[in-house]
């Protein structure tokens, strides 16, 4: 889907304003349960009035949920071995619907991963039910498959693996324009799409499984303004779900681009140029903020 960024007719992108809905449910003692997932989804449905839809009431601007990785559920859902929790990263990939193009993309993913001393342990088809979605959402819907990756040299801590997965994801998305990962992490997983709030649970049947447990749930119902609806621009992102707009967006974007030549890190592996530009062209203000926050945190700055 084309995302207009320039003035057209009476449309002026600089005059757009946000009114999204966001909620967070957490067990203060870190106890994981499916109840937290259900409460997060209920909170999301309660935010339906904060989201938006077009002429088709069943085509939403976007909605989703971020959870901790339900290791037992994934372990019992794949036909290949997984290392212990924290030793693999996983995320849902938005892939081309065309079978041959999708096969070529997954081959390229494996090659890029191998070049970074990582291995694609396997793929899992993400079961989805699009029966309730409007034609506009279905027309641009990606094919969804879950990737599991490991490191041949097995990093000693989870954050080291997070950094490796971060570089892999950024370099993949920079080299493969038809690919997008809502998340790729050894800690969290994001289920999102061009959906209305009530559509998230029936669309992703994983979320109804009792084995899907988490101690936290971050949810978002989108009212898109300065960018048009699309599957990748739904929230949550990797770290944030955002309600509002950033008034200093243009200045922050320009400063970030200017600073890229000065960036260096002993913690983030490889040549940093493979993850540039840090800010994805055409992304929303929340997506841009999330990308910079992720970079800073990966470089060991505390949230």
């Amino acid at each position: 889907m084309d995302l207009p960024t320039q003035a057209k007719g009476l449309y002026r992108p600089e005059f757009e304003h946000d009114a999204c809905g966001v909620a967070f449910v957490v067990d203060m003692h870190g106890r994981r349960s499916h109840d937290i997932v259900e409460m997060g989804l209920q909170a999301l449905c309660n935010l339906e009035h904060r989201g938006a839809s077009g002429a088709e009431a069943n085509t939403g601007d976007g909605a989703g949920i971020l959870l901790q990785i339900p290791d037992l559920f994934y372990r019992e859902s794949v036909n290949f071995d997984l290392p212990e929790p924290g030793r693999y990263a996983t995320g849902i990939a938005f892939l081309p619907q065309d079978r041959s193009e999708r096969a070529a993309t997954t081959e390229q993913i494996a090659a890029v991963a191998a070049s970074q001393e990582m291995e694609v342990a396997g793929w899992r088809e993400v079961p989805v039910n699009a029966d309730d979605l409007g034609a506009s959402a279905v027309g641009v819907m990606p094919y969804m498959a879950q990737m599991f990756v490991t490191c041949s040299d097995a990093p000693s801590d989870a954050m080291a693996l997070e950094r490796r997965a971060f570089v892999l994801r950024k370099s993949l998305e920079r080299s493969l324009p038809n690919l997008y990962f809502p998340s790729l992490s050894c800690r969290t997983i994001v289920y999102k799409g061009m959906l209305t709030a009530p559509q998230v649970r029936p669309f992703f049947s994983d979320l109804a499984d009792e084995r899907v447990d988490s101690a936290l749930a971050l949810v978002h119902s989108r009212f898109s303004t300065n960018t048009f609806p699309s599957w990748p621009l739904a929230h949550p992102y990797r770290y944030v779900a955002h309600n509002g707009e950033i008034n200093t967006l243009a200045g922050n974007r320009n400063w970030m681009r200017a600073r890229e030549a000065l960036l260096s890190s002993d913690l983030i592996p490889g040549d940093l140029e493979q993850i540039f530009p840090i800010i994805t062209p055409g992304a929303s203000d929340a997506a841009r903020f999330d990308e910079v926050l992720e970079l800073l945190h990966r470089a060991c700055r505390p949230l």
Side-chain angles (χ1 to χ4, degrees), residues 101 104-113 115-116 166-181 273-277 280-281:
E101 188 178 354
T105 300
T106 55
E107 287 181 8
Q108 290 174 287
I109 290 172
V112 173
S115 71
Q116 298 186 11
F166 163 67
V167 173
L168 175 61
R169 194 198 80 234
K170 296 285 281 190
S171 58
L172 284 172
E173 291 180 348
R174 296 297 177 262
S175 59
L176 299 171
N178 291 329
L179 173 69
Y180 175 79
F181 280 94
E273 288 193 9
Q274 66 185 317
I275 66 174
F276 293 163
T280 302

Side-chain angles (χ1 to χ4, degrees), residues 6-301:
Q6 305 297 323
K8 183 177 181 180
L10 296 177
Y11 175 75
R12 294 291 186 275
E14 66 269 26
F15 295 137
E16 294 284 11
H17 296 284
D18 252 8
C20 305
V22 62
F24 183 58
V25 181
V26 61
D27 184 294
M28 296 292 285
H29 301 284
R31 295 169 297 195
R32 300 169 65 116
S33 71
H34 186 67
D35 288 341
I36 293 291
V37 179
E38 289 291 344
M39 283 189 278
L41 292 170
Q42 183 59 57
L44 178 60
C45 289
N46 292 343
L47 293 169
E48 181 181 8
H49 66 289
R50 298 301 300 273
S53 59
E56 299 169 344
N58 54 353
T59 291
D61 277 11
I65 184 169
L66 178 150
L67 305 166
Q68 290 177 304
I69 289 176
D71 174 73
L72 176 62
F73 171 66
Y74 292 149
R75 196 172 294 275
E76 294 180 349
S77 300
V78 298
N79 58 1
F80 49 86
D81 293 333
L82 288 174
E84 63 186 76
R87 296 287 184 174
Y88 68 88
T90 185
I92 297 171
F94 287 4
L95 297 167
Q97 284 284 1
D98 180 78
R99 185 185 297 272
S100 59
E101 188 178 354
R102 186 165 67 247
T105 300
T106 55
E107 287 181 8
Q108 290 174 287
I109 290 172
V112 173
S115 71
Q116 298 186 11
E117 299 182 338
M118 300 187 76
E119 180 183 357
V120 178
W123 290 88
R124 169 182 175 261
E125 182 179 358
V126 178
V128 298
N129 179 7
D131 293 345
D132 212 24
L133 271 59
S136 298
V138 172
V140 293
M141 184 176 74
Y143 181 91
M144 297 188 187
Q146 185 177 1
M147 182 176 76
F148 296 82
V149 292
T150 59
C151 284
S152 55
D153 55 355
S156 58
D157 64 276
M159 184 54 81
L161 179 56
E162 286 283 287
R163 293 190 188 100
R164 298 281 289 273
F166 163 67
V167 173
L168 175 61
R169 194 198 80 234
K170 296 285 281 190
S171 58
L172 284 172
E173 291 180 348
R174 296 297 177 262
S175 59
L176 299 171
N178 291 329
L179 173 69
Y180 175 79
F181 280 94
S183 63
L184 185 61
S185 170
C186 62
R187 299 186 298 177
T188 57
I189 186 84
V190 173
Y191 288 85
K192 71 175 187 177
M194 195 170 156
L195 309 165
T196 65
Q199 287 174 341
V200 172
R201 190 179 193 274
F203 181 79
F204 292 109
S205 60
D206 284 2
L207 299 175
D209 196 294
E210 292 287 334
R211 294 169 295 174
V212 175
D213 60 355
S214 178
L216 59 87
L218 178 65
V219 298
H220 189 276
S221 178
R222 187 170 188 244
F223 191 105
S224 58
T225 56
N226 53 7
T227 49
F228 282 78
S230 74
W231 286 81
L233 291 183
H235 298 221
Y237 290 107
R238 290 97 192 192
Y239 280 89
V240 306
H242 178 233
N243 175 14
E245 290 186 348
I246 301 172
N247 294 331
T248 56
L249 180 65
N252 282 322
R253 182 183 65 238
N254 293 336
W255 273 114
M256 191 65 227
R257 187 72 174 120
R259 290 179 176 125
E260 284 181 356
L262 305 176
L263 293 180
S264 64
S265 174
D266 295 330
L267 296 172
I268 298 176
D271 186 347
L272 288 183
E273 288 193 9
Q274 66 185 317
I275 66 174
F276 293 163
I278 298 301
I279 295 174
T280 302
S284 65
D285 50 358
R288 291 164 174 166
F289 171 76
D290 185 80
E291 288 177 312
V292 175
L293 175 66
E294 180 182 39
L295 172 72
L296 295 176
H297 187 53
R298 296 291 188 230
C300 236
R301 293 180 183 260

